[in-house]
Amino acid sequence: LLLMSKEIDVRELDFLLRFNIDHNYISPLDFLSNSAWSAIKVMSFTDEFRGLDRDIEGSPKRWKKMVESECPEKEKFPQEWKGKSSLQKLIMMRALRPDRMTYALRNFVEEKLGVKYTEGRKTEFAKSFRESGPASPVFFILSPGVDPLKDVESLGRKLGFTIDLGKLHNVSLGQGQEAVAEVAMEKAAKEGHWVILQNIHLVGRWLGSLEKLLERCCEDSHPDYRVFMSAEPAPMPQEHIIPQGILENAIKITNEPPTGMLANLHAALDNFDQDILDQCSREQEFKTILFSLCYFHACVAERRKFGPQGWNRKYPFNTGDLTISVNVLYNYLEANAQVPWEDLRYLFGEIMYGGHITDDWDRRLCRTYLEEYMQPNQFDRKLALAPGFVVPSNLDYQGYHDFVDEMLPHESPVHYGLHPNAEIEFLTVTSDNLFHTLLELQSPDAVMGEGASQTLEEKVKTILDEVLEKLPEEYNMSDITSKTAERSPYILVCFQECERMNTLISEIRRSLKELDLGLK
């Protein structure tokens, strides 16, 4: 959109996405890595960033303060650089602190498109359901730790479509279940029932018949007839097996697991409502522990993103663990006069969540969290779940959501009991993947700044000529071998490497010539 309204420069966008830099420069400053300094040197050759390298060397204190800040994307750039366009600031940020790019881009989107594009609260399923019909099924794209069929079942209970009433057919696909699914769909279309087909990616051969069946069943069907399908996304484009016809007619819904403590905490609270909060006779104790449990759940789920720094192995914690734990909590509080802390911690840490865990150190970690987040003194408003985030007192359901929005400090590994530097690595990887994906999404014409005057072939030809120009001559092996009579291991390896380099150079030259002929 910004390219079309000429608000940003194509060349700048292309540089931000590709970030091609020569890694030949050694950083003169202790707070900048060599790769960051190389990026700054390369940027200083362009008009927009001329003098950036001199400026940083001239006033290192100001730049150091920004680079080493905890949230550099919220800081202002020193001197005249703070007047640069938003896109240029993104480029400078990618050079200085590549790990903060996900946050910087989020601010960029918020500034250009508005808040509703960055707030990740999920749409209510009932809303999506209103758009479906007998001919447009709902297709869930599964992601780890999220069970979308819960939404279907709870909506079904409200509208009177349940398994007990015989109006909901739930088929989990796998060997031999295709026939069951076909019978269910034929019956549902006649009588106006709902059908859930789980994991259709497991029955690749049957999907063609499913496509025809979906078309056939929705003709002259009962108006209440609905189909809900779920499948995992294919890891590689080559492995897409779901027929286009199914995808085109369906409403596709994906519930990605939330990222960040704020989104996770809201998502955990979203599993409950005012009625659940009011159900227990010991209201304050129940609510306080429930809130701690939600924080605990958000914490263990989100630690996964830190890789081995979070958990030694990957565990499929999901919302089921949380809802069952709350049921257990309710039963125990109703049955006991005192809060049975030991029992509760054992049930949550060793059975509900601990049941997933196979590593002793991870189990110890899980137990330690519960000892921190569930202790007898939390009813006197003393327990801090994160620095500056105290367990709230007795609030209503909406009050808890508002409390989280107001009081939760900004995202940091400290929320999960980790050192602030723990996120640098995984954020850098996330940012690189993000730019890689954005680059793949670019249309071929949008790349390169000369407008669409160059065709794709011309662009390839330009790059091809550049590479051929840079290509060195092959080593003259007879010259090199005659330079010395000595044949020590070191020298032999040198000769071998020269031969290999020759093979490589001649292959590069050969294939480029072939491509050139092809273009002609």
Side-chain angles (χ1 to χ4, degrees), residues 468 471-474 504-514:
L468 275 174
L471 209 57
E473 284 305 307
E474 287 173 31
L504 180 62
I505 291 175
S506 70
E507 175 54 30
I508 294 179
R509 190 170 276 119
R510 184 201 65 76
S511 54
L512 285 177
K513 281 191 178 142
E514 192 175 281

Side-chain angles (χ1 to χ4, degrees), residues 365-384:
L365 177 71
C366 181
R367 273 206 309 272
T368 311
Y369 267 127
L370 283 167
E371 280 165 18
E372 276 295 310
Y373 297 156
M374 296 183 58
Q375 32 183 304
N377 70 352
Q378 70 189 73
F379 299 135
D380 317 332
R381 292 251 4 219
K382 290 199 195 77
L383 176 70

Side-chain angles (χ1 to χ4, degrees), residues 445 449-455 458-459:
D445 308 336
E450 311 309 313
S453 55
Q454 277 187 312
T455 61
E458 286 168 355
K459 285 177 207 164

